Every structure is written in structure tokens, then in C-alpha cells.
Amino acid sequence: QNNIELPFNFSAQTVGNDPFAVNLAWSQGEGYEAIAVLRNGEEIDRIGLLSQYQDTLLQPGLYTYQLRAVARDVLQAPVTAPPVEISVPPCTGLICTLTEDGQVALQWHNPANNYDHFDYDAVVLQRTLITPDGTEQELEAREVNHDAHNYLDTVAQGAGQYRYTLRVRYNNNIYPI
């Protein structure tokens, strides 16, 4: 009879430079020859006696990871890490410039363009007109293509200041919330 000591100190963390990856790390136990890695209850890999693993190309969502030691081809009880969430990455770096003909040129960084496995449904520009007397008027939002990184807004509503908020639509939800 083998004494089996399961893996311990199991953690799951998002990867700083890849918003669609999770690093798993643990301390090894004893008495087993392999480890089954599970994501949300489904086995995604079976590895040797390693103490780390990286899960990549994930979609936004909540993930729970488990390790199951394999001793003599028998899966042992699961060890579970705290859940980890992959967030919808926001567009960033919005720059607004008034053109000579009175339009507003908008530019931003669209992080979805860096990945083949992920796309937004659309980029959403929410617009607010602030009239000279300080009244705020929400204007119709503009939806542009999922891979857009610029837009030219015709300012036809009249005098005042304009405020732009950059959001994205993903799975029919608007982010950031």
C-alpha cells in the first residue's frame, strides 16, 4: 500500500502580460506518478510531476481549477484552487482631437486586435453634450466594428463640450460596467 500525499498550496492567478492566461502553481505531494489538471470540472491535461502549469487562450469568465493526483492510474481526490476571473480587457488610451472642420477625431488602443482567439462584438462610444449652461445631454451612442481603433465624430449637436466614454460590447453585455 502506498501512502499518497496530495499536492498542496495550490493557487491560480492571472498572468500579468497576457489577460487570457492563468498560472497554476502548487507544492508537490508524494506517492503518485502524474497529475490531472481540471478546468471547471473537465480534464484539460495530464502532466508529470511538475509544480506549475499555464492555461492559455481563455475567454473572459470565471474559472475553477483542480488537481487530481494519479496513482496507479487511479484519480485521487481533487485539490481545488480559489476561483480566478478572466476579465474583458478594456480599450484604453482614448485621445480626442478637434479637427479644423469641427469634427472630433478619436483614437484608442484596442487590445482585442492583439489576439486571434478573442474579439469584442463591437466598440461603443458613449457621447455626452455639455451645453454652455452646464446641462448634460446624453447623445446616441456610436457602435463601431469590433476591431476599430479610431472614429471621426461629426459634432452636429451644436455648441458646448463633449465627453466621450469608451466601452465594449462582449456577449451582448457592455464593459466596463
Side-chain angles (χ1 to χ4, degrees), residues 84-145:
V84 63
E85 183 167 4
I86 299 294
S87 299
V88 175
C91 289
T92 57
L94 179 62
I95 298 171
C96 305
T97 307
L98 187 60
T99 65
E100 288 181 16
D101 59 354
Q103 299 182 76
V104 178
L106 299 111
Q107 295 181 318
W108 59 89
H109 171 69
N110 185 333
N113 292 340
N114 298 334
Y115 300 94
D116 292 331
H117 80 285
F118 173 79
D119 271 324
Y120 303 125
D121 300 332
V123 175
V124 180
L125 291 162
Q126 294 179 321
R127 308 174 311 145
T128 304
L129 168 63
I130 305 167
T131 62
D133 68 2
T135 304
E136 292 190 10
Q137 177 185 352
E138 293 295 321
L139 304 175
E140 181 181 348
R142 299 284 192 228
E143 281 203 13
V144 296
N145 286 339

